[in-house]
Amino acid sequence: MNVKAIMEALAERLATIDGLRAYGFPVESVSPPAAIVSWPSTYTFDATYGRGHDDLELFVVVVVGRPRDNKATLDRLSGYLDGAGASSVKAVLEAKPYPEPVELLRVRGVEIDIITMAGAEYVTAVFDVQIDGRGTA
């Protein structure tokens, strides 16, 4: 699988969520709400015989908003965490058809945290994404 193409394809899907800026690569600072497709955490070659199948795991970091903006941040976060719907990160990423050569894309879970970026605190939702696809010869 071409990691760059997969990361860009995920960002394109995330950009379809109303009002969400999406980046297919890590960036140093953003204006929330924004989704950042992070570097892969693991890439397993040859998960099945030969070059038949590879596994890729990465994280999508959604920078939701400032903790002090309680209602607006909670409203956004709630939509991103939904299991279905137009604002659901899970539903948008898992929608078929998958980008080539992906055969399975699964959002396994999400972790909520407050991080500091460029000196400011932000509520984030970090989605764990598992991708299985055909290996390239």
Side-chain angles (χ1 to χ4, degrees):
M1 293 186 289
N2 181 303
V3 172
K4 179 182 176 188
I6 299 294
M7 291 171 70
E8 289 172 349
L10 295 182
E12 287 173 14
R13 285 179 174 226
L14 291 163
T16 66
I17 296 175
D18 188 39
L20 186 66
R21 296 166 193 80
Y23 302 89
F25 50 88
V27 294
E28 290 185 24
S29 65
V30 296
S31 179
I36 304 162
V37 180
S38 71
W39 303 117
S41 59
T42 62
Y43 190 134
T44 305
F45 296 106
D46 309 329
T48 60
Y49 62 95
R51 292 294 304 126
H53 182 87
D54 292 344
D55 294 332
L56 174 67
E57 183 175 353
L58 53 77
F59 296 94
V60 171
V61 179
V62 178
V63 182
V64 180
R66 302 291 298 269
R68 68 171 187 245
D69 300 330
N70 294 332
K71 172 124 176 48
T73 297
L74 179 58
D75 288 347
R76 280 192 216 117
L77 178 64
S78 180
Y80 300 147
L81 295 179
D82 278 347
S87 296
S88 165
V89 169
K90 178 177 176 58
V92 166
L93 290 178
E94 291 182 348
K96 293 182 181 179
Y98 301 130
E100 284 294 322
V102 175
E103 295 174 335
L104 174 68
L105 190 151
R106 183 173 155 238
V107 178
R108 295 194 296 195
V110 60
E111 191 171 310
I112 313 306
D113 201 358
I114 296 178
I115 66 165
T116 302
M117 256 180 125
E121 286 189 330
Y122 295 99
V123 174
T124 60
V126 182
F127 293 85
D128 180 2
V129 182
Q130 175 187 356
I131 300 168
D132 301 330
R134 291 182 308 283
T136 52

